[in-house]
Amino acid sequence: MAKLKHFGILNIKHYVIFITLLNLVSCKNTPEHLTELTGKQIAIDTNYTSVDSIQKFIQPYHERVESILDSTLAYAPYVISKNDGKFNTTAGNLMADIVLHETNPIFNKRTGNTIDMVLLNHGGIRSIISKGNVTSRTAYEVMPFENSVVVVELKGSSLLKMVDYLIKSKRAHPVAGMQLILNKDNSVKSFTIDGKPLDKDKSYYVATSDYLVTGGDNMNFFKDALSKTETDYKIRNAMIDFFSKVDTLAPKVDLRYYQLQ
């Protein structure tokens, strides 16, 4: 009888231990709910001092990144600016041509189609390209945003809305693959894409940025898109790729968009 009683007590002890462990596991797996989020502002000024151990740890990585950013990729024989032309500029033409040149092979490989034209925004160009060596850092200065290229299919009739937008905006928005000529009274003398007159019923593939395709800068005509192709190709990366392939950057203010005098 004593043996049976002792056996029962042992089983009870084991049972209690098992239930306790089970409860611990169950509590551990119970999802927690955030009830409060607090924070404080830490000013980084002359009173801020770096932590030596952290500084020593990141220094080799910092130096490596800096060396990559400052490695010479190309050369600019003169200042390239977005303010050196009324209807088109050296910086705008360079950026639009880069997007067309670098993105078209990607788009063609994915869809079998080719990009007809490019439209970007004047405000997206954030810096000049100084005379001298051109580096990856240059691309980050000109295009600090994470914008990527999107190719939009638009009817010719929607591109007429684009033309109206360009005329009314009075800004040298970067374009490529098209030519727009205005009369003295700002009416359209001619509008061609790849040297051919616009066909209002034809579909065209326009490369732009993911910011503009959602109506950024009030480019609402992009909302008429029949299709959109995300390239996952950052404009900045396209610039770096292009810089790596050429020796000298020499964009000009040209006749892709101008007004008769």
Side-chain angles (χ1 to χ4, degrees), residues 181-200:
I181 304 175
L182 303 182
N183 293 307
K184 290 182 180 180
D185 61 358
N186 285 329
S187 61
V188 177
K189 178 176 178 60
S190 68
F191 176 51
T192 58
I193 296 178
D194 194 24
K196 301 174 183 177
L198 178 75
D199 183 343
K200 291 190 294 184

Side-chain angles (χ1 to χ4, degrees), residues 2 14 46 55 67 85 101 143 146 155 170 178 207 238 245 250:
H14 292 162
T46 54
Q55 188 68 25
S67 67
H101 184 273
M143 173 52 68
E146 298 299 309
K155 282 284 190 182
K170 299 184 183 301
M178 54 154 275
K245 296 174 183 176

Side-chain angles (χ1 to χ4, degrees), residues 101-114:
H101 184 273
E102 297 298 317
T103 309
N104 195 49
I106 298 172
F107 180 66
N108 179 257
K109 189 172 182 179
R110 292 186 185 181
T111 67
N113 298 309
T114 57

Side-chain angles (χ1 to χ4, degrees), residues 17 24 43 95 97 100 126 134 153 163 176 247:
I17 292 171
L24 287 173
M95 186 171 288
D97 288 345
L100 181 60
R126 308 302 287 188
V134 176
E153 182 183 3
V163 169
D247 176 75

Side-chain angles (χ1 to χ4, degrees), residues 9-237:
I9 291 172
L10 287 175
N11 280 343
I12 290 171
K13 287 181 178 178
H14 292 162
Y15 179 75
V16 171
I17 292 171
F18 174 76
I19 293 299
T20 301
L21 290 173
L22 184 62
N23 286 335
L24 287 173
V25 172
S26 298
C27 291
K28 192 173 182 180
N29 291 333
T30 302
E32 297 180 357
H33 298 283
L34 182 66
T35 57
E36 184 180 4
L37 182 64
T38 60
K40 65 178 181 178
Q41 184 176 3
I42 301 175
I44 300 178
D45 51 27
T46 54
N47 297 318
Y48 177 82
T49 57
S50 61
V51 179
D52 288 342
S53 59
I54 297 177
Q55 188 68 25
K56 288 179 181 178
F57 178 79
I58 67 173
Q59 189 62 31
Y61 302 99
H62 173 75
E63 291 175 354
R64 175 60 176 163
V65 170
E66 290 295 305
S67 67
I68 292 173
L69 286 175
D70 291 328
S71 295
T72 300
L73 302 177
Y75 180 79
Y78 47 80
V79 174
I80 299 171
S81 169
K82 70 174 185 178
N83 297 312
D84 51 12
K86 182 178 180 180
F87 294 95
N88 67 89
T89 67
T90 53
N93 292 349
L94 177 64
M95 186 171 288
D97 288 345
I98 286 174
V99 169
L100 181 60
H101 184 273
E102 297 298 317
T103 309
N104 195 49
I106 298 172
F107 180 66
N108 179 257
K109 189 172 182 179
R110 292 186 185 181
T111 67
N113 298 309
T114 57
I115 296 172
D116 294 297
M117 62 163 289
V118 175
L119 172 63
L120 303 173
N121 61 319
H122 183 266
I125 304 172
R126 308 302 287 188
S127 173
I128 64 169
I129 296 178
S130 300
K131 178 181 178 180
N133 292 337
V134 176
T135 66
S136 293
R137 190 185 298 278
T138 305
Y140 276 85
E141 291 170 348
V142 175
M143 173 52 68
F145 311 113
E146 298 299 309
N147 294 126
S148 58
V149 181
V150 178
V151 182
V152 179
E153 182 183 3
L154 290 174
K155 282 284 190 182
S157 54
S158 295
L159 291 186
L160 290 178
K161 297 179 184 179
M162 181 201 73
V163 169
D164 186 57
Y165 173 89
L166 289 174
I167 295 172
K168 290 180 179 178
S169 71
K170 299 184 183 301
R171 303 188 77 185
H173 293 297
V175 296
M178 54 154 275
Q179 184 184 47
L180 175 60
I181 304 175
L182 303 182
N183 293 307
K184 290 182 180 180
D185 61 358
N186 285 329
S187 61
V188 177
K189 178 176 178 60
S190 68
F191 176 51
T192 58
I193 296 178
D194 194 24
K196 301 174 183 177
L198 178 75
D199 183 343
K200 291 190 294 184
D201 298 318
K202 180 182 175 181
S203 290
Y204 295 88
Y205 293 100
V206 183
T208 187
S209 75
D210 54 356
Y211 165 68
L212 298 177
V213 81
T214 57
D217 274 17
N218 296 315
M219 294 191 184
N220 295 317
F221 48 85
F222 280 125
K223 295 179 181 180
D224 295 342
L226 302 175
S227 68
K228 298 177 186 178
T229 302
E230 302 278 352
T231 66
D232 303 313
Y233 192 25
K234 294 188 186 305
I235 296 175
R236 182 197 307 122
N237 291 346

